[in-house]
Amino acid sequence: MAKQLMVLPSKEVSRIRLVTVPEDTSPHEAYRSVTGLIAEVERTGKDQWVEDMLDLLEEHGFENLEFILGPPLD
């Protein structure tokens, strides 16, 4: 079975992330889980919160993937 992917969008292009979703996680559960984890990290107020967020996501079975951001379709 193909892995499910989740795009974590951002207004700042350098902060856009692509992660794999753990196999035993439904899309709805993944969305709720990631939302909670991001909120948890943002509350710390650290400058390097993106790296902290990725570490926390990895602890919960999500994997950060490298990607190339293409041109807009519109």
Side-chain angles (χ1 to χ4, degrees):
M1 178 179 219
K3 290 187 176 187
Q4 284 189 320
L5 303 176
M6 178 184 283
V7 176
L8 305 177
S10 176
K11 292 177 184 175
E12 187 176 323
V13 174
S14 66
R15 288 188 176 175
I16 296 173
R17 295 292 185 264
L18 178 66
V19 297
T20 61
V21 176
E23 288 184 22
D24 59 343
T25 306
S26 71
H28 180 72
E29 183 182 350
Y31 185 91
R32 290 185 61 192
S33 179
V34 170
T35 300
L37 294 171
I38 290 171
E40 183 178 326
V41 172
E42 285 181 331
R43 280 185 244 141
T44 64
K46 293 181 182 178
D47 292 336
Q48 298 297 321
W49 70 270
V50 173
E51 289 78 16
D52 292 345
M53 178 201 59
L54 292 174
D55 290 342
L56 189 58
L57 287 171
E58 286 183 8
E59 289 174 15
H60 288 84
F62 295 86
E63 180 184 347
N64 185 42
L65 299 175
E66 295 293 324
F67 67 96
I68 298 171
L69 187 61
L73 295 172
D74 52 358

